[in-house]
Amino acid sequence: MSNLLTRRAMLAATAAGLGNVALAQAPLRSLRPEARAAAASSGVKSAITAASVVGAHKLSGHVGCALVDPLNGKILDQHFPELQLPPASVTKAITAAFGLQNLGPKYCFETRLHVVGKVSEGLLRGDLMLIGSADPTLHTDDLVRFAKALHKTGIRRVEGRLLVVDDGFAYLREIDHNQLPQANYNPAVSGFNLNLNRVQFEWERRANGRYDVSMHAPGHIYRPQIHSIQMQTVARSSPSYTYAHSTSGERWSVQRSALGKDGGRWLPTRNPRLYAGEAFQGICAEMGLIMPSPTVLHERYDKPAAAVEIARKSSKPYTEITRSMLKMSTNLTAEVIGLTASDAPNLERSVAALTRFAEAHGMVVRLLDHSGLSDRSRLSAGGLARFMAWQYRNGLPDLLKHKVLRDRGKPIPDVQLRAKTGTLNFVSTMSGYLTHEGQTLGFAILTADLERRARAQGSERPRGAKSWEARSRSLQHAVLRNWLKYLG
């Protein structure tokens, strides 16, 4: 139990973390918890507590939960609220609030195409510059629009360089190094994030049993082939995939017997800037535009005086991107938001800024990323519920996905549930807001069987994980139904 903090340690850490911090936009009263041991003491009719519901479900592992009134900070119900457990993707809710505070609801990511040099009879004697700002929504179709804009200028050939400039944005080869290499939810992060930094691996079985394989960056019209990412099929018993990385290319191998007949799947790319540049080069080639292989520049971009902008893509505003990120639980988008909001040069310093933000809201946390992908991150249900109470008036509820609270399979009428869930193998979490008859409460429910998770390391689909998660979700909804007695 070395990962579980005691109450004394938690309170000491909270005091240390909050000693010199001024909190903005506080609730009506202090958020220091006024715990109520049982529902009966609060005047609520039923005396069944969260502890009773958790005990009845007999879920293996650990459970921590807390219910907080955001108007006064009172804890209305709790069960091991200080237990430190992995938050999984609930971390994204903290990151969303962090970005909302530092970037604002209207912030947009921009990608630009600049020309530097002279054009004569369709020949550009100079450089073409593709400049990124880490837009997590950049798609192959956006590069098609850039290529069409370039074609309209009359340029047909570039004599200089095709520069891919990431504006000095932090580069991560992967989010969490403990994941399997083929996990496409664990891609690289950079100033260019084309197709969520995923490449489409496709295979077709020939009559002799061999395979034709290819890598693409598919769009709705063009699907340029990516030659710097190569795949080899190998006859072996395990592992399913292997990966080798270099700055000039990526080398994959796949277990031949795992492929079947014909098919495809997304794989993560680790050279995302080169990937974006090569995709753009391929699209241009299909339009009859000849240009050199891309050159990656990792530096802050100051627009040269002679540069001419010929195309620009602005993303949707922050609130729309973040709603999608929370709904789809997109790890790359969470990492981009956190790194952009902190303006830090690397993941460690960015996560440190996110940690300070969480601590300023009364939490005791250990965060390893902005997305919750690492199972080494830790926080408590009590701290997370208090954080939700703090953020009640700061716009976070409007970003969270609307979910349905059910009883015996049927939706419960007139109840609004806005929440972020998180799932790792043998980890299941939920946090957000429960609303009924005009009253809203903040909550957090964390569950984890860390022993079974440790035994399942290295397995993409460990036995028993899916059924354990289903039991955890059943427990979470039972706790939420029980908490309805505090509303209305």
Side-chain angles (χ1 to χ4, degrees), residues 208-220:
N208 61 4
R210 298 287 179 173
Y211 287 89
D212 292 325
V213 298
S214 59
M215 298 289 195
H216 297 271
H220 287 95

Side-chain angles (χ1 to χ4, degrees), residues 237-271:
S237 58
S238 65
S240 298
Y241 288 86
T242 66
Y243 174 83
H245 177 268
S246 74
T247 56
S248 60
E250 302 178 67
R251 302 291 181 267
W252 288 88
S253 75
V254 61
Q255 178 186 0
R256 191 173 298 156
S257 60
L259 294 181
K261 189 178 180 182
D262 303 335
R265 67 170 290 173
W266 289 103
L267 291 174
T269 179
R270 309 290 179 205
N271 288 336

Side-chain angles (χ1 to χ4, degrees), residues 1 21 32 43 125 131 149 186 205 239 246 268 289 291 298 308 329-330 350 361 387 405 476:
M1 297 298 180
V21 179
R32 289 200 176 275
R125 291 185 172 89
I131 305 123
N186 184 39
R205 188 174 181 175
S246 74
L289 308 176
M291 62 184 62
H298 178 57
V308 177
S329 205
T330 315
S350 185
H361 292 76
F387 177 85
L405 182 60
Q476 291 165 15

Side-chain angles (χ1 to χ4, degrees), residues 60-130:
S60 68
H62 300 285
V63 179
C65 59
L67 181 70
V68 178
D69 187 336
L71 297 182
N72 55 31
K74 289 183 178 180
I75 293 183
L76 304 176
D77 194 10
Q78 60 183 346
H79 175 69
F80 290 110
E82 296 135 20
L83 199 62
Q84 296 278 300
L85 295 171
S89 285
V90 167
T91 306
K92 294 180 177 72
I94 304 172
T95 300
F98 179 57
L100 189 61
Q101 174 178 286
N102 290 3
L103 301 175
K106 297 181 180 180
Y107 180 87
C108 295
F109 297 91
E110 293 188 339
T111 309
R112 295 163 287 164
L113 183 65
H114 287 182
V115 170
V116 181
K118 296 183 178 180
V119 180
S120 176
E121 297 181 349
L123 175 64
L124 171 61
R125 291 185 172 89
D127 297 331
L128 196 63
M129 307 180 72
L130 196 59

Side-chain angles (χ1 to χ4, degrees), residues 36-40 46-59 63-66 76-80 474-483 485-486:
R36 303 187 184 187
S46 174
I48 298 176
T49 63
S52 302
V53 177
V54 172
H57 276 71
K58 298 180 180 178
L59 183 72
V63 179
C65 59
L76 304 176
D77 194 10
Q78 60 183 346
H79 175 69
F80 290 110
S474 176
L475 181 154
Q476 291 165 15
H477 278 245
V479 171
L480 290 172
R481 289 194 299 270
N482 183 55
W483 280 344
K485 62 178 175 255
Y486 293 97

Side-chain angles (χ1 to χ4, degrees), residues 6 12 18 29 38-39 42 59 263 275 296 314 347 369 386-387 391 400 405 418 424-425 439 448 462 464 468 476 478:
T6 65
L18 295 177
R29 296 183 226 165
S42 65
L59 183 72
Y275 171 55
V296 174
S314 295
L347 179 64
D369 53 40
R386 290 192 293 273
F387 177 85
Q391 293 300 320
L400 294 173
L405 182 60
R418 291 167 293 178
L424 300 170
N425 289 330
Q439 184 182 359
W468 184 92
Q476 291 165 15

Side-chain angles (χ1 to χ4, degrees), residues 345-360:
N346 54 52
L347 179 64
E348 291 75 17
R349 289 175 63 177
S350 185
V351 169
L354 181 65
T355 298
R356 291 192 296 272
F357 172 77
E359 289 174 342

